[in-house]
Amino acid sequence: MAAYDVHHAKVFGRCEPKTGIVPFMALVAQVMATEPYASAKRVFWIVDNGSSHRGKKAIDRLNKAFPNAVMVHTPVHASWTNQIEIFFSIVQRKVVRPNDFTDLTQVRNRLRAFEDRYNATAQPFQWKFTTSDLDDLLARLDRHTPADRQEESSFAPAA
């Protein structure tokens, strides 16, 4: 399990025997006990719709335990928009393949070593596409009429 601070490119990992509400809340407690999260006005937890953090009960449970925590769910089937999922993809490719472990201790040790290396070297992602860029793109798209788009995509067979 892991949480990811996008502003600092920091990973908080936990190795648990299984997933569920208790392990998820342990991860949250691990993060929320440290600064700057413990004293922050708000800490947003972006989560998918996994069973350990799905729905209003999960939101209420998180808010009761940590009043400054705000749970935000990604759209169903869009967990890939959550940056921790990108980290998990890296872990899958760089850490757990090949799956040549003889026991869970080896898995835990390799994951911990990767987390330490990642936290020592990672930098926050600097977005270059601004809201002004988006406005410009939308304005360019609006200049094309539906007829223009149809004409551009039409296929004229050779005579």
Side-chain angles (χ1 to χ4, degrees):
M1 302 181 76
Y4 187 67
D5 180 334
V6 297
H7 296 292
H8 300 102
K10 178 164 175 55
V11 172
F12 297 85
R14 289 185 71 81
C15 292
E16 297 282 353
K18 63 181 190 171
T19 62
I21 293 169
V22 172
F24 173 72
M25 290 303 291
L27 174 65
V28 173
Q30 174 185 335
V31 173
M32 297 300 285
T34 63
E35 291 297 337
Y37 322 104
S39 63
K41 183 177 177 181
R42 288 183 303 190
V43 178
F44 290 94
W45 283 83
I46 312 300
V47 298
D48 61 14
N49 288 277
S51 60
S52 60
H53 39 67
R54 180 183 314 150
K56 181 154 175 34
K57 284 184 180 181
I59 293 169
D60 294 343
R61 182 173 41 253
L62 181 70
N63 193 251
K64 182 178 178 184
F66 303 97
N68 63 333
V70 178
M71 186 177 285
V72 179
H73 290 93
T74 58
V76 176
H77 305 297
S79 63
W80 58 269
T81 61
N82 187 344
Q83 289 192 26
I84 193 64
E85 297 295 339
I86 296 167
F87 175 78
F88 289 149
S89 173
I90 295 167
V91 167
Q92 180 69 32
R93 287 179 280 120
K94 304 280 186 186
V95 181
V96 296
R97 279 193 192 144
N99 185 355
D100 57 355
F101 305 102
T102 58
D103 60 35
L104 290 177
T105 301
Q106 285 185 337
V107 177
R108 181 177 290 115
N109 290 344
R110 194 179 294 176
L111 287 168
R112 292 271 185 231
F114 182 77
E115 179 183 340
D116 291 344
R117 179 169 162 45
Y118 186 90
N119 284 336
T121 60
Q123 297 291 317
F125 186 77
Q126 299 298 317
W127 292 99
K128 295 188 182 350
F129 194 82
T130 66
T131 55
S132 295
D133 295 330
L134 178 60
D135 290 339
D136 292 343
L137 175 62
L138 293 173
R140 285 195 321 268
L141 291 173
D142 284 342
R143 287 193 294 268
H144 294 282
T145 65
D148 292 337
R149 285 189 211 116
Q150 179 62 34
E151 184 178 301
E152 290 172 359
S153 65
S154 294
F155 173 76

